[in-house]
Amino acid sequence: MMTQNLNGLRTLVLNADMQPLSWAPLSVWSWEDAFVAVHRERVIQVKTYDDVVVHSASRTYEVPAVVALKRYRKRKKVAFTRYHLFLRDEFTCQYCGQRFAAKELTFDHVVPRSKGGSSSWTNIVASCSADNLRKANLTVKQAGMKLLRRPFEPTVHQLDQAARRLPFTKGELHQTWMDFLYWDAEIITD
């Protein structure tokens, strides 16, 4: 049994319908928060980590790998944030089509603010620095550029779909979560 090396261990959080509470970003808590929620009976412990336990003075406890909310939580409108904007555009510059890390992206007003453009879902796109500088304070047409797609306000489900398409590096998703994420599930056809 392992009692050390719990730093960074996370717990997948499912909604009451056994689907991830969020894909954008993937709904995870620290193992400590999940452990407390389980013992305060706020969530149901669905799966534990194999051979990972914590001890109190008199008991040994398994560490939750996956928990589920007791009541279904309806997801609301998507917040207009930098992360959600980049996720909607799949971390891809909407001018050149290249994918970038979040720290290498900026955002661009399709219609510049100086020309009456708003800071809204329907007027801002993810952009690499080079294309943002090239477009400058011009409209897309004036700059001689093209958009990959028109900006839009995404739904929660559209962001979840975009998040599912993002590549994850090995180790980001614990093996115990895979049954609940269905990413490795084979599609059976007749």
Side-chain angles (χ1 to χ4, degrees), residues 44-63:
I44 299 163
Q45 184 168 282
V46 177
K47 193 167 182 98
T48 60
Y49 284 104
D50 294 334
D51 300 325
V52 180
V53 295
V54 292
H55 300 279
S56 72
S58 60
R59 291 188 62 185
T60 299
Y61 299 95
E62 294 179 305
V63 175

